[in-house]
Amino acid sequence: MRSWIIVVVSLFELSLARSRLCLDDFDLPDGSSQEYNYKIPHGDEVGYWTKIDKDASGQDRRVAFSRSFYIFGRFGESSVEGEDTTITAGLYKDDELVYKTVINCNQGSWENWILNQDGKEEKILHGTLDKACQAGENFDLIMKNDNFHLANWIFNAQPLQHEVRVFSRKTNKVRRNPITGKTETVYIDDVERPAVKILSKSGIYNATHFRFEATGSALFTRLAFGPCNAWPDNLDSECQQVREWVHSRSKANLTDETLADLKKGADANFTRGLGVFGNNIITFNPVCLSGKYFNWIQQVIHADHKIPLYLPNGDPNVNRAYCCCTDMRTGQVFGNNLERNCQLMTECVTYNPECDHAFDPEIGKEVFEDMGTEEENI
């Protein structure tokens, strides 16, 4: 029987130079590992990651907070002769599988599995890798939980699913038909979601642990978790690289026309994005002052568990985000002080945040001199 390393990290929001507002972000023991068992913060606490809210019609509605698991690692130069290189990661309720992915580098393939209602493991999705696993290269694997039946695996910016479903979604709002005068329910047309729902024996939000293991040359180096953005190490003063990395794994779905327009500016390397298979929405991409430096005010940063999903009147809280004063070199919340340096995005739009203390005049001078602007115009 395999013995898992189980780690429980104290729960507080982190703002490291490699993530924003994650609950956890840490290097694995000895700098790398081939197996890990992460106890999800509050995973066994009923009503933390899900809750009952009243919608606009006054009806109780069970809702879930989105969250992301980030695994970072690398492929070694060699592995044990005859041993395949594989990466397996999954959500578990104690020892019971909820949903996992298995990446087989030697075969260039991936498979996604659930434990079905009969208690048997069932393969529900499979495909081929877009890019081979290369010795000496880094890799990343993201698991995004969007709601009770949607969970996206993303490996090196490749979504590990491939089909969408389009439908009309019923809302709790009504309107009067101008022709008939009758009251009608409002529907939202052309809603897109991943085609395959995760209908495992235990639901996604019943998971208590996130486990991952590797064979062959694959090694894990770091884990981050929370309703947050995270990115690879060693990208201080590389804002544009961070922006491109986050974007390529986002829910953006850029058109050919938009991509052509972007070729003229700083975002020339942007990809189309992953659409409904992505991690976070495009508005959470970091904003750069230049190729190297982050803007000292980030007006849209991913919301955490503290911001409610619904407003007091029952309407969905569509502006769930923070606005934060930011370290211009690292992109982290300035001084790692959320209380002083973050406020609700809606407040930021109404009242410009006091972020003068986050502006680095030396960086400003460097950036504006590169732009050919006189220092006194800063």
Side-chain angles (χ1 to χ4, degrees):
M1 168 128 2
R2 180 181 298 275
S3 73
W4 291 89
I5 301 172
I6 301 180
V7 170
V8 182
V9 177
S10 60
L11 181 61
F12 62 94
E13 291 172 329
L14 299 173
S15 292
L16 302 177
R18 56 191 188 178
S19 63
R20 286 179 171 169
L21 303 190
C22 288
L23 298 180
D24 283 329
D25 185 346
F26 54 88
D27 297 325
L28 299 183
D30 301 321
S32 64
S33 177
Q34 282 202 311
E35 58 184 41
Y36 213 73
N37 188 7
Y38 174 65
K39 183 174 174 57
I40 301 171
H42 299 287
D44 53 4
E45 183 180 329
V46 177
Y48 188 86
W49 290 108
T50 67
K51 63 180 300 186
I52 303 295
D53 262 343
K54 290 189 180 297
D55 60 26
S57 67
Q59 298 296 312
D60 286 343
R61 180 175 178 177
R62 188 164 175 251
V63 294
F65 291 91
S66 66
R67 58 191 189 182
S68 299
F69 300 81
Y70 299 85
I71 307 171
F72 297 91
R74 67 177 183 275
F75 296 110
E77 294 296 339
S78 61
S79 61
V80 178
E81 186 175 351
E83 184 178 26
D84 286 352
T85 293
T86 65
I87 298 169
T88 302
L91 293 169
Y92 290 80
K93 181 180 179 182
D94 298 322
D95 292 325
E96 181 182 277
L97 173 66
V98 177
Y99 185 39
K100 71 178 180 180
T101 190
V102 180
I103 297 166
N104 191 312
C105 289
N106 294 66
Q107 298 177 9
S109 63
W110 57 267
E111 301 173 347
N112 294 347
W113 295 74
I114 63 169
L115 190 72
N116 64 25
Q117 300 300 319
D118 296 324
K120 297 179 179 179
E121 290 196 10
E122 177 185 343
K123 181 168 64 176
I124 60 172
L125 288 163
H126 66 279
T128 57
L129 296 177
D130 291 343
K131 182 176 181 289
C133 307
Q134 297 289 340
E137 290 191 355
N138 296 327
F139 67 83
D140 59 90
L141 178 62
I142 301 172
M143 152 57 63
K144 174 61 180 286
N145 300 164
D146 271 323
N147 68 27
F148 297 102
H149 302 299
L150 296 183
N152 298 344
W153 289 108
I154 305 166
F155 180 63
N156 290 341
Q158 176 188 350
L160 303 187
Q161 53 187 315
H162 27 60
E163 295 182 357
V164 301
R165 55 190 173 94
V166 181
F167 59 96
S168 295
R169 185 173 65 193
K170 182 180 179 180
T171 72
N172 293 303
K173 296 183 178 180
V174 296
R175 65 185 174 193
R176 187 172 297 280
N177 187 306
I179 299 176
T180 65
K182 295 181 178 179
T183 300
E184 300 175 343
T185 300
V186 176
Y187 285 81
I188 301 175
D189 295 326
D190 299 325
V191 176
E192 291 190 0
R193 292 290 184 271
V196 176
K197 293 184 177 181
I198 313 306
L199 302 176
S200 49
K201 182 179 178 181
S202 294
I204 293 168
Y205 286 88
N206 293 124
T208 58
H209 294 77
F210 182 64
R211 296 179 180 173
F212 44 101
E213 61 179 312
T215 61
S217 66
L219 295 168
F220 303 116
T221 59
R222 175 181 153 216
L223 170 70
F225 167 73
C228 63
N229 273 335
W231 52 81
D233 289 315
N234 304 317
L235 288 180
D236 285 8
S237 297
E238 294 292 352
C239 181
Q240 189 60 34
Q241 288 188 41
V242 172
R243 180 173 165 84
E244 291 168 5
W245 191 94
V246 172
H247 171 84
S248 66
R249 292 151 177 81
S250 75
K251 295 183 185 296
N253 189 14
L254 303 186
T255 64
D256 291 337
E257 182 180 5
T258 298
L259 288 172
D261 289 340
L262 291 176
K263 292 297 181 185
K264 307 168 187 176
D267 293 328
N269 293 328
F270 263 21
T271 60
R272 192 177 302 278
L274 304 184
V276 296
F277 305 133
N279 184 25
N280 293 321
I281 60 176
I282 190 173
T283 52
F284 296 130
N285 288 356
V287 177
C288 303
L289 182 66
S290 68
K292 291 174 61 176
Y293 301 117
F294 295 81
N295 198 308
W296 68 98
I297 303 175
Q298 299 288 318
Q299 295 193 340
V300 186
I301 289 182
H302 203 294
D304 60 11
H305 189 271
K306 298 175 184 176
I307 303 180
L309 293 164
Y310 281 82
L311 300 172
N313 66 359
D315 288 337
N317 189 357
V318 296
N319 293 314
R320 290 188 70 248
Y322 284 113
C323 170
C324 299
C325 305
T326 305
D327 187 297
M328 298 175 72
R329 286 185 170 82
T330 67
Q332 69 178 1
V333 174
F334 191 80
N336 199 23
N337 187 331
L338 278 67
E339 184 175 350
R340 180 185 178 190
N341 291 298
C342 292
Q343 60 189 45
L344 296 178
M345 184 188 73
T346 50
E347 296 174 356
C348 184
V349 172
T350 306
Y351 308 101
N352 290 327
E354 296 292 337
C355 288
D356 290 349
H357 60 285
F359 179 79
D360 187 321
E362 290 301 315
I363 291 177
K365 179 179 179 180
E366 177 185 335
V367 170
F368 284 95
E369 282 182 348
D370 288 344
M371 294 172 58
T373 303
E374 295 297 330
E375 181 181 353
E376 56 265 25
N377 291 333
I378 296 176

